């Protein structure tokens, strides 16, 4: 018979020898696990700290990389114009001699529209938007087409509210709107050296009201960088008339011209007009509004009479 191998002698029950042997083997396995857990915990905490820093940086406006303020809220600018090279965006569209941009740039003025006019224009926006308003942070009112934000959709306020509109707006409201549009149009024509009669109002031209409410639909996401000529096609010259004051009425919400390594911003103030050629030379975005309410009106012009629209009429 083959000799049998003897195993290690068994420890007597209750001797505690087996129990004394197990901890040493368990410790050798547990030790690296504890190290892994500590490393993971540290990594997660570090990542959270980084994310918190990035969030704070974003809230403070750091994500825009603004390196120059073109117009401070406390300044009163008679006029400031910065010429930039034109993009090729206009080449794929029909050109109109004496109007289509050959000279491109951006301008700011605080002396074309008075603060009193801005307050009266803002009251038009407030009256119209009191009829609806977006569920998200951005609402629009277009007196030309009748488009009004209501919940997650748009309605035509002239059809939707009918005769009630005449109890909301007045003939004077529409006259003031037209006068302001004409002043802005003349300012753009003079800055770019073109005939005022060669410019035509184009759509969309609208009031905007922006607050810090979370976006509900894509229409509420106003902060994405874009090029007006690419987005709308008909735009050749874009202008914004601000109707509220940065840091008094709202925080965030600055207008940012985006350039490689050197973004430049305009701080809104009531009555300030910012205008620019609509191509890629003026890629831009609006910072998220962090608190309060920002009012403005976008007024756009085209050189193509086929894309022109008439002033709204009070009926």
């Amino acid at each position: 018979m083959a000799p049998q191998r003897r195993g290690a002698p068994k420890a007597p029950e209750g001797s505690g020898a087996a129990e004394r042997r197990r901890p040493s083997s368990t410790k050798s396995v547990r030790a690296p696990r504890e190290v892994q857990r500590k490393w993971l915990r540290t990594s997660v905490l570090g990542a959270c700290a980084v994310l918190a820093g990035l969030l704070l940086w974003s809230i403070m406006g750091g994500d825009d990389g603004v390196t120059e303020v073109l117009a401070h809220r406390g300044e009163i600018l008679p006029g400031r114009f910065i010429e930039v090279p034109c993009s090729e965006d206009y080449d794929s569209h029909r050109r109109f001699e004496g109007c289509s941009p050959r000279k491109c740039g951006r301008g700011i003025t605080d002396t074309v529209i008075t603060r009193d006019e801005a307050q009266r224009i803002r009251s038009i926006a407030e009256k119209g938007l009191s009829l609806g308003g977006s569920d998200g942070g951005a609402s629009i009112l277009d007196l030309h087409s009748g488009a009004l934000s209501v919940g997650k959709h748009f309605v035509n306020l002239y059809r939707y509210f009918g005769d009630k509109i005449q109890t909301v707006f007045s003939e004077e409201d529409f006259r003031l709107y037209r006068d302001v549009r004409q002043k802005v149009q003349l300012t753009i024509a003079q800055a770019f050296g073109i005939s005022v009669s060669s410019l035509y109002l184009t759509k969309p031209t609208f009031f905007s009201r922006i607050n810090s409410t979370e976006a509900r639909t894509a229409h509420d996401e106003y902060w994405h960088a874009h090029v007006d000529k690419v987005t709308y096609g008909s735009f050749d010259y874009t202008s914004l008339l601000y109707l509220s004051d940065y840091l008094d009425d709202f925080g965030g919400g600055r207008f940012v011209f985006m350039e490689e390594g050197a973004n430049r911003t305009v701080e809104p103030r009531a009555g300030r007009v910012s205008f620019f050629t609509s191509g890629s030379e003026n890629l831009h975005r609006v910072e998220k509004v962090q608190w309060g309410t920002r009012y403005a009106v976008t007024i756009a012009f085209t050189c193509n009479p086929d894309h022109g629209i008439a002033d709204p009429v009070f009926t």
Side-chain angles (χ1 to χ4, degrees), residues 95-137:
R95 298 193 68 87
F96 294 84
E97 195 60 38
C99 179
S100 295
R102 298 287 185 187
K103 170 187 176 182
C104 294
R106 55 195 69 148
I108 306 105
T109 177
D110 293 314
T111 57
V112 170
I113 308 299
T114 67
R115 285 178 71 82
D116 176 65
E117 287 174 318
Q119 179 56 48
R120 288 159 57 205
I121 283 283
R122 173 173 164 171
S123 72
I124 299 173
E126 290 173 332
K127 287 188 291 187
L129 287 164
S130 70
L131 299 173
S134 169
D135 286 343

Side-chain angles (χ1 to χ4, degrees), residues 161-180:
F161 295 100
D163 293 340
K164 182 182 177 181
I165 290 300
Q166 296 192 28
T167 67
V168 177
F169 302 116
S170 68
E171 181 64 51
E172 175 57 28
D173 290 335
F174 282 71
R175 186 181 303 114
L176 174 64
Y177 182 86
R178 181 177 63 250
D179 291 345
V180 165

Side-chain angles (χ1 to χ4, degrees), residues 184-254:
V184 172
Q185 184 171 350
L186 179 60
T187 299
I188 290 174
Q190 291 175 339
F192 291 98
I194 58 179
S195 169
V196 69
S197 62
S198 67
L199 284 175
Y200 300 88
L201 194 66
T202 194
K203 62 180 180 181
T205 286
F206 57 92
F207 290 101
S208 60
R209 183 186 70 192
I210 305 175
N211 58 38
S212 59
T213 304
E214 183 181 353
R216 305 296 182 189
T217 71
H219 296 294
D220 300 319
E221 297 182 10
Y222 56 84
W223 55 83
H224 299 298
H226 65 278
V227 173
D228 287 346
K229 188 69 178 171
V230 174
T231 303
Y232 300 112
S234 63
F235 282 31
D236 288 308
Y237 300 91
T238 306
S239 70
L240 291 130
L241 167 58
Y242 296 109
L243 307 176
S244 49
D245 295 325
Y246 172 63
L247 294 186
D248 286 336
D249 298 313
F250 63 92
R254 295 181 300 174

Side-chain angles (χ1 to χ4, degrees), residues 46-62:
C48 289
V50 171
L51 287 173
L54 288 172
L55 179 61
L56 179 61
W57 188 39
S58 172
I59 290 172
M60 298 302 292

Side-chain angles (χ1 to χ4, degrees), residues 8-25:
K10 291 184 180 180
E13 273 189 50
S15 68
E19 285 78 1
R20 282 195 297 273
R21 281 200 303 272
R22 284 193 198 106
S24 61
S25 59

